[in-house]
Amino acid sequence: MTHQTILKMGDPRLLRIAQAVTQFDTDELHLLITDMLDTMLAADGAGLAAPQIGVDLQVVIFGSNARNPRYPDAPLVPKTVLINPVITPLPPSDGGVTALEVEDWEGCLSVPGLRAMVPRFSRIRYTGFDQYGDPIDRTVEGFHARVVQHECDHLIGKLYPMRVRDFSRFGFTDVLFPGLDAPQDD
């Protein structure tokens, strides 16, 4: 297992725009994905983007085949490698006509110890490729949609505090949730 150092907010490498992957199914890409998975698992993360370990490529991983101890009430999100993603906000599945944003608590492995209420689209379609170059096309909602949007933000140099609208709901996890075993960071 090789886990990498996760960059923290303030490191200028987190603000760069990641480059598209142009070659799939290479030894280098497989090694990057293995390192990312090892790093995410070691940190109990729900997801990780390549820029978080200093690699400027449009690669994100997220999900698990088991419950995450930091998100015990969250539904399972399938373990996914998503490369060169495109996100399209969708209206709710109940027949609404415009995409809706909902707020929920988020954290980030690059912003340790802090949480905030962050608006995200409640339902999205995401497309991209896996590490072999096979297409991925999914429509998701809820926690799954939130995780994908959070990780893909890293590919455009955004950290979740840049999306916070109400800073009265942003702070240290142990202060916001005293005595609770609240979820930590994504």
Side-chain angles (χ1 to χ4, degrees):
M1 249 172 71
T2 305
H3 67 273
Q4 304 295 319
T5 300
I6 297 172
L7 303 179
K8 291 187 174 66
M9 186 170 65
D11 190 310
R13 292 174 288 178
L14 289 170
L15 303 177
R16 298 190 297 215
I17 306 297
Q19 301 301 306
V21 172
T22 58
Q23 294 183 8
F24 297 88
D25 199 16
T26 65
D27 290 343
E28 294 83 6
L29 184 58
H30 291 296
L31 180 60
L32 170 63
I33 291 164
T34 298
D35 286 352
M36 289 175 66
L37 285 168
D38 290 347
T39 302
M40 181 181 83
L41 290 173
D44 282 333
L48 189 72
Q52 290 180 276
I53 60 169
V55 178
D56 289 332
L57 289 174
Q58 292 181 23
V59 179
V60 298
I61 61 170
F62 52 86
S64 172
N65 296 330
R67 293 254 179 244
N68 185 313
R70 291 183 13 246
Y71 296 93
D73 297 328
L76 286 179
V77 174
K79 188 188 298 185
T80 303
V81 173
L82 181 62
I83 299 172
N84 300 342
V86 175
I87 293 175
T88 305
L90 298 174
S93 55
D94 65 5
V97 292
T98 58
L100 296 177
E101 285 186 332
V102 294
E103 287 191 323
D104 205 349
W105 292 103
E106 284 188 27
C108 181
L109 296 172
S110 292
V111 189
L114 295 168
R115 308 260 316 150
M117 285 295 257
V118 180
R120 299 278 184 195
F121 291 106
S122 62
R123 186 168 175 257
I124 62 168
R125 174 184 180 205
Y126 65 87
T127 59
F129 302 91
D130 69 12
Q131 62 268 40
Y132 304 102
D134 294 327
I136 294 173
D137 187 340
R138 294 181 185 156
T139 297
V140 299
E141 57 192 339
F143 183 70
H144 189 153
R146 178 169 295 280
V147 169
V148 173
Q149 291 170 85
H150 176 105
E151 296 310 329
C152 289
D153 265 0
H154 285 292
L155 305 180
I156 58 171
K158 277 196 183 286
L159 298 170
Y160 82 85
M162 297 170 172
R163 295 209 180 267
V164 173
R165 293 183 183 149
D166 179 357
F167 283 90
S168 70
R169 297 187 298 168
F170 177 57
F172 288 96
T173 306
D174 60 349
V175 175
L176 290 167
F177 306 102
L180 296 179
D181 189 21
Q184 298 298 307
D185 311 311
D186 283 341

